[in-house]
Amino acid sequence: MAQPKYTTHPGMVDILPDDVRKWQYLENLIRTEAEKFNFEEIRTPIMEQTELIVRGLGQLTDIVSKEIFAFSRGEDNYVLRPELTAPVVRAYVENHLDQRGGSQKLYYIGPMFRAERPQKGRQRQFHQFGVEVLGSSDAVADVEVIAFMIHIYNKIGINNTTLKLNSIGDPESREKYKEALKAHLKPNYEKLSEISKKRYEKNPLRILDSKEEEDKPFIENAPVITDYLNEESIKHYSKVKEYLTDLEIPFEEDPYLVRGMDYYTQTAFELISPDLGAQDALAGGGRYDLLVQEIGGQPTPAVGFAAGMERLFIACEELGIQLGSEKVVDVYIVTLGDAARKWGLSQLPKLREKGVSATMDYMGRSMKAQMKDANRENAHYAIIVGENELTEGKFTFRNMKESEESSLSFEEILEKF
RNA sequence: GAGCUCGUAGCUCAGUCGGUUAGAGCGCCAGGUUGUGGCCCUGGAGGCCGUGGGUUCAAUUCCCAUCGGGCUCCCCA
């Protein structure tokens, strides 16, 4: 097929009406369930200052170093948001949300942008929902965040997921661990993959994430961070595990789970699905106790997660889960002739006033074509109006599904709803 | 940044060992039913066979390049 003159950018897709219904279903579900947890929605701009993202996520992260869409205009630097934790924290600080008292429980839904090579479960514009709890260092917050995340998937019927859990401790613990890890790898430095060699100095923790065959033997018997946690961190981590167990939320400890952003501290987690293929992370998150301060606010502990909506839909497809319902319309007015069209046009508002969805033919087509259209639109009822009906004031009211019709005045038809 | 793979109608896909007007199913439009949809029957519209170049008497078919899609590595949602 010939390529159209104008297309979306790679990795950016149109969401067409048939698909939008499932998006709306998911969005409604998220909002409804978030309200049950007493989370409040926050909406921030699509673009942020580049510096916020660079400082917030970390200069050396993959996202910042190669995946951000950034441009400048005059003096200002703009970046399309690649995630929402840093922007939400920015909004928290900028708008003094701490002054509302207590911990802030926020949720969001919206598009994110990363300049990656598109593939299954990975787009350049994609959508996330997530929550951020700011102001609490208590493990209760970690666990509520995780519980909400799992809750959404369970509501939808995606149950075959694995919650991976780890603690990467506070900076002090992590420094100690980094040194131990480097000491462990040093004798075999030359045997490491090229990527891992690069990470060795900059961010040795990421070597643990490596999928290169040659790295595996050294990763397998590497020291684990949980052995280097200080007392504070150990205490927090065990509380998280204790509460998860209380809630009967199963988890799998993965001492090598390292998340992509620099801002994480303590708890780190990912929700993995076997239905996704290469990109198997449905959602991920953790604690980020230093980010608020890093961005210029008062020291404020926080925890949150982000979930990929497209990936959720992929999992649904694999599992045969249908989200949202068929498109329908209550009434289709079939008109014959100009007078009937004029009449139909003026009755539509009366139906809609009653909360009845209603439409009519816009193309001046034959009755047969209009009936066909009504069928295609899944109209529950057709009101058929021609010259006879207009003079008598009685209209043919047809139940499309039952194929039954009666002759009624328009007032009588309105009574039916 | 690298690798693999695929580009024929709106969609899913046949086909041409190089040779007159390129096919099917679904969808769309119309007729059969001059005021009744879904089922059925009939007909119609809709393709520079992704684009450019090469080889050839002749290319949608073979070769090269390019563009686009999909998948994969890295990493993440």
Side-chain angles (χ1 to χ4, degrees), chain A residues 35-165:
Chain A
E35 303 292 328
K36 288 184 191 166
F37 278 70
N38 196 34
F39 288 110
E40 293 178 279
E41 184 173 356
I42 184 166
R43 303 187 189 192
T44 64
I46 297 292
M47 289 191 269
E48 293 284 347
Q49 291 180 12
T50 306
E51 189 62 15
L52 169 72
I53 300 301
V54 172
R55 285 284 295 281
L57 309 204
Q59 186 85 54
L60 299 176
T61 58
D62 284 320
I63 291 180
V64 168
S65 61
K66 58 185 190 191
E67 295 169 8
I68 52 175
F69 286 104
F71 63 97
S72 58
R73 185 180 164 87
E75 298 287 290
D76 300 319
N77 290 310
Y78 295 83
V79 59
L80 257 37
R81 62 191 196 188
E83 58 95 71
L84 220 48
T85 300
V88 167
V89 169
R90 191 226 79 233
Y92 175 88
V93 173
E94 182 174 348
N95 299 290
H96 311 288
L97 294 188
D98 58 320
Q99 294 303 306
R100 303 206 313 164
S103 56
Q104 296 304 307
K105 299 171 61 179
L106 306 168
Y107 77 92
Y108 59 80
I109 302 175
M112 311 294 158
F113 303 85
R114 295 183 195 172
E116 289 199 273
R117 194 72 132 231
Q119 58 183 276
K120 186 176 186 183
R122 167 173 298 161
Q123 294 170 188
R124 290 187 172 179
Q125 177 176 342
F126 62 105
H127 298 76
Q128 290 186 332
F129 68 92
V131 307
E132 311 291 351
V133 175
L134 296 116
S136 167
S137 59
D138 198 296
V140 165
D142 304 47
V143 171
E144 275 271 277
V145 163
I146 292 171
F148 177 71
M149 177 179 80
I150 304 269
H151 178 72
I152 293 292
Y153 292 95
N154 287 348
K155 272 275 167 189
I156 285 167
I158 301 172
N159 300 311
N160 59 340
T161 55
T162 305
L163 175 64
K164 294 208 166 189
L165 189 67

Side-chain angles (χ1 to χ4, degrees), chain A residues 99 112 125 156 163 168 193 248 318 362 388 392:
Chain A
Q99 294 303 306
M112 311 294 158
Q125 177 176 342
I156 285 167
L163 175 64
I168 57 171
S193 66
E248 295 179 353
E318 296 294 329
Y362 288 180
N388 297 342
E392 290 168 22

